[in-house]
Amino acid sequence: MRRFIAALATALVAAALATGAAFGVVALLDATPDQPNTPLISYDTAPAAP
């Protein structure tokens, strides 16, 4: 019975750690970047012909 309880406790702790890691990864991916999202190259449009 002790081994069963130990295995159950280990499985619960592993599931809790996996869930916490998953939520942490999602939180990191949802974080906004430090720099603004500006294009490196911009193409100026030519003025319209009269």
Side-chain angles (χ1 to χ4, degrees):
M1 188 68 176
R2 274 186 196 227
R3 284 190 176 184
F4 176 73
I5 293 173
L8 183 63
T10 302
L12 289 176
V13 169
L17 285 174
T19 303
F23 277 115
V25 167
V26 169
L28 285 175
L29 290 176
D30 277 344
T32 56
D34 291 340
Q35 62 185 14
N37 189 12
T38 56
L40 296 175
I41 300 173
S42 62
Y43 297 101
D44 294 328
T45 56

